[in-house]
């Protein structure tokens, strides 16, 4: 799928991202994604899409998405239903670097970046149930390649048994910073209702690695055969709403079955800071945004300098998997209350109009 994607000028893309991305903590300013496989039959609010916009206040985002095939509201459906929608069809492989010169956010519309999928899309829509393409989408972000431009990602799967397989697929692809999640209800998001199963990919020092100096150049062992200095490990744990500082909420309380227009209205209220931070939908969004912040590494600093309204006081408490999940929530709340996420959304919309 990635090899068949429309070609992107990788050098230009890297240059644009490096010029705009801001390093903080263990985050190196690279691109990030948060996406689910879909097909979980829960039809919840567009959590990962909203989380991606909130996260763009601090991270560089390459959100890979499409219209709905197995749900009522896909990520593209949501964005195109907003009062002033972006021009998603205008974003192309050739102008992607240009867009990143103006905004931290880009939406990689699957039909544009995976043109071969136009033959599959109408069949998927007609079938109406999940297929192998639900699984391929999150694994096939078009900016990824053998030298990954994506620094971090959170991927939701709709079946628990897929978690280890997805994590292993990422490790084999060279990914070193990611987390695969599945809510206990077979939900392709971090759940607001109860436990979420997590498979986090982390980079650890390789105990078998030995540095080779000039004296070793005559060795029979080639560089290709040498042990790498670090290895990717998959660490399994579970997360609950309490790890983020929230009570559990049943999935029925987060708007199942909403149409794109209804979800877009909720999305707009969140960005405008008009939704109560204690609303179950808000908790759902904050949990998933926080997870991407944690996986990116941005929560690892000793202090923060997000901007106006940030006192710089990092929450250092660590939860399951060693993550600062409550610090992620603090940052997600700031993205809303400061207006930073809303401003980034406007920059993205304006940027697409000028392509």
């Amino acid at each position: 799928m990635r090899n068949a994607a429309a070609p992107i000028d990788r050098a230009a893309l890297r240059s644009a991202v490096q010029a705009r991305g801001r390093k903080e903590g263990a985050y190196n300013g690279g691109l990030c994604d948060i996406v689910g496989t879909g097909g979980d039959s829960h039809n919840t609010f567009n959590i990962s899409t909203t989380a991606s916009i909130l996260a763009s206040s601090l991270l560089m985002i390459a959100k890979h998405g499409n219209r709905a095939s197995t749900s009522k509201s896909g990520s593209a459906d949501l964005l195109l239903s907003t009062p002033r929608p972006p021009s998603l069809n205008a974003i192309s492989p050739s102008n992607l670097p240009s867009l990143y010169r103006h905004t931290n956010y880009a939406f990689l519309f699957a039909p544009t970046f995976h043109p071969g999928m136009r033959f599959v899309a109408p069949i998927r829509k007609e079938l109406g149930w999940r297929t192998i393409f639900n699984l391929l989408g999150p694994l096939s972000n078009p900016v990824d390649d053998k030298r990954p431009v994506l620094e971090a990602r959170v991927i939701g799967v709709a079946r628990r048994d897929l978690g280890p397989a997805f994590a292993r697929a990422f490790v084999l692809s060279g990914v070193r910073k990611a987390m695969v999640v599945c809510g206990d209800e077979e939900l392709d998001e971090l759940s607001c209702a109860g436990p979420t199963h997590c498979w986090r990919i982390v980079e650890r020092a390789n105990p078998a690695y030995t540095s080779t100096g000039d004296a070793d150049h005559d060795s029979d062992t080639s560089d290709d055969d040498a042990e790498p200095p670090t290895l990717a490990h998959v660490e399994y744990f579970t997360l609950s709403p309490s790890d983020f500082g929230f009570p559990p909420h049943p999935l029925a309380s987060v708007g199942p079955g909403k149409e794109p227009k209804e979800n877009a209205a909720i999305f707009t209220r969140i960005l405008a800071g008009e939704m109560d931070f204690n609303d179950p939908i808000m908790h759902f969004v904050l949990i998933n945004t926080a997870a991407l912040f944690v996986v990116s590494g941005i929560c690892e600093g000793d202090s923060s300098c997000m901007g106006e309204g940030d006192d710089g006081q990092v929450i250092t408490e660590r939860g399951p998997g060693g993550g600062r999940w409550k610090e992620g929530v603090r940052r997600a709340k700031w993205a809303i209350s400061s207006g930073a996420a809303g401003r980034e959304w406007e920059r993205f919309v304006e940027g697409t109009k000028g392509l």
Side-chain angles (χ1 to χ4, degrees), residues 117-163:
M117 289 300 292
R118 68 183 182 274
F119 302 110
V120 177
I123 300 171
R124 291 185 66 197
K125 187 71 175 178
E126 188 174 347
L127 288 173
W129 58 73
R130 60 189 178 194
T131 67
I132 188 67
F133 294 101
N134 286 80
L135 308 185
L136 283 173
L139 293 168
S140 305
N141 190 307
V143 302
D144 222 5
D145 62 3
K146 292 181 180 178
R147 293 180 60 221
V149 181
L150 278 176
E151 179 176 346
R153 67 197 92 189
V154 172
I155 306 296
V157 294
R159 279 175 29 206
R160 199 181 315 169
D161 61 325
L162 291 173

Side-chain angles (χ1 to χ4, degrees), residues 275-347:
M275 183 174 286
D276 192 309
F277 275 130
N278 290 319
D279 190 291
I281 291 179
M282 182 65 82
H283 286 181
F284 202 2
V285 170
L286 292 173
I287 283 171
N288 281 271
T289 308
L292 183 57
F293 279 146
V294 169
V295 172
S296 76
I298 202 169
C299 296
E300 290 301 310
D302 295 326
S303 63
S304 65
C305 52
M306 293 184 286
E308 186 177 351
D310 175 27
D311 62 8
Q313 299 298 308
V314 169
I315 300 174
T316 58
E317 176 187 337
R318 296 190 183 275
R324 291 178 173 178
W325 310 107
K326 291 179 181 176
E327 168 63 11
V329 169
R330 184 185 77 89
R331 289 173 176 268
K333 286 182 174 180
W334 173 87
I336 298 170
S337 60
S338 68
R343 290 190 294 272
E344 203 57 55
W345 164 251
E346 291 299 328
R347 276 193 284 268

Side-chain angles (χ1 to χ4, degrees), residues 3-355:
N3 290 343
I8 299 171
D9 185 335
R10 306 285 173 177
L13 179 60
R14 287 178 186 278
S15 177
V17 171
Q18 289 172 358
R20 189 171 182 86
R22 188 180 70 177
K23 297 181 180 181
E24 186 177 351
Y27 172 57
N28 296 314
L31 293 174
C32 303
D33 190 14
I34 178 168
V35 62
T37 59
D40 62 9
S41 301
H42 289 292
N43 283 322
T44 53
F45 173 67
N46 296 88
I47 297 297
S48 62
T49 307
T50 305
S52 71
I53 297 291
L54 298 189
S56 71
S57 59
L58 298 172
L59 308 178
M60 299 293 291
I61 301 292
K63 171 64 175 160
H64 187 211
N66 204 347
R67 288 187 178 276
S69 290
T70 56
S71 64
K72 289 189 176 183
S73 179
S75 52
D77 300 312
L78 171 77
L79 300 185
L80 292 172
S81 297
T82 55
R84 187 166 173 264
S87 300
L88 298 186
N89 286 320
I91 307 170
S92 69
S94 61
N95 61 33
L96 188 59
S98 176
L99 180 61
Y100 276 125
R101 295 189 187 101
H102 302 284
T103 174
N104 292 351
Y105 192 87
F107 187 87
L108 312 181
F109 197 22
T112 301
F113 287 81
H114 289 289
M117 289 300 292
R118 68 183 182 274
F119 302 110
V120 177
I123 300 171
R124 291 185 66 197
K125 187 71 175 178
E126 188 174 347
L127 288 173
W129 58 73
R130 60 189 178 194
T131 67
I132 188 67
F133 294 101
N134 286 80
L135 308 185
L136 283 173
L139 293 168
S140 305
N141 190 307
V143 302
D144 222 5
D145 62 3
K146 292 181 180 178
R147 293 180 60 221
V149 181
L150 278 176
E151 179 176 346
R153 67 197 92 189
V154 172
I155 306 296
V157 294
R159 279 175 29 206
R160 199 181 315 169
D161 61 325
L162 291 173
F166 263 67
R168 181 60 179 158
F170 281 130
V171 169
L172 292 174
S173 297
V175 173
R176 293 296 181 265
K177 193 185 284 187
M179 189 164 74
V180 181
V181 301
C182 182
D184 204 43
E185 313 82 3
E186 304 283 71
L187 177 73
D188 68 339
E189 317 274 6
L190 279 92
S191 178
C192 65
T196 295
H197 303 270
C198 304
W199 296 265
R200 188 174 178 184
I201 300 165
V202 294
E203 196 167 20
R204 303 292 189 209
N206 181 2
Y209 172 74
T210 54
S211 179
T212 56
D214 291 340
D216 297 321
H217 281 180
D218 293 333
S219 169
D220 291 335
T221 302
S222 69
D223 289 342
D224 289 339
D225 296 328
E227 288 284 349
T230 61
L231 294 173
H233 291 267
V234 178
E235 299 180 351
Y236 169 79
F237 53 91
T238 61
L239 284 170
S240 295
S242 60
D243 296 313
F244 296 86
F246 298 132
H249 302 285
L251 292 184
S253 68
V254 292
K258 298 292 186 182
E259 299 290 340
K261 283 285 187 185
E262 296 174 278
N263 283 352
I266 296 171
F267 169 80
T268 303
R269 285 181 57 210
I270 290 173
L271 286 191
E274 297 172 354
M275 183 174 286
D276 192 309
F277 275 130
N278 290 319
D279 190 291
I281 291 179
M282 182 65 82
H283 286 181
F284 202 2
V285 170
L286 292 173
I287 283 171
N288 281 271
T289 308
L292 183 57
F293 279 146
V294 169
V295 172
S296 76
I298 202 169
C299 296
E300 290 301 310
D302 295 326
S303 63
S304 65
C305 52
M306 293 184 286
E308 186 177 351
D310 175 27
D311 62 8
Q313 299 298 308
V314 169
I315 300 174
T316 58
E317 176 187 337
R318 296 190 183 275
R324 291 178 173 178
W325 310 107
K326 291 179 181 176
E327 168 63 11
V329 169
R330 184 185 77 89
R331 289 173 176 268
K333 286 182 174 180
W334 173 87
I336 298 170
S337 60
S338 68
R343 290 190 294 272
E344 203 57 55
W345 164 251
E346 291 299 328
R347 276 193 284 268
F348 166 62
V349 172
E350 284 293 333
T352 66
K353 306 295 185 186
L355 294 175

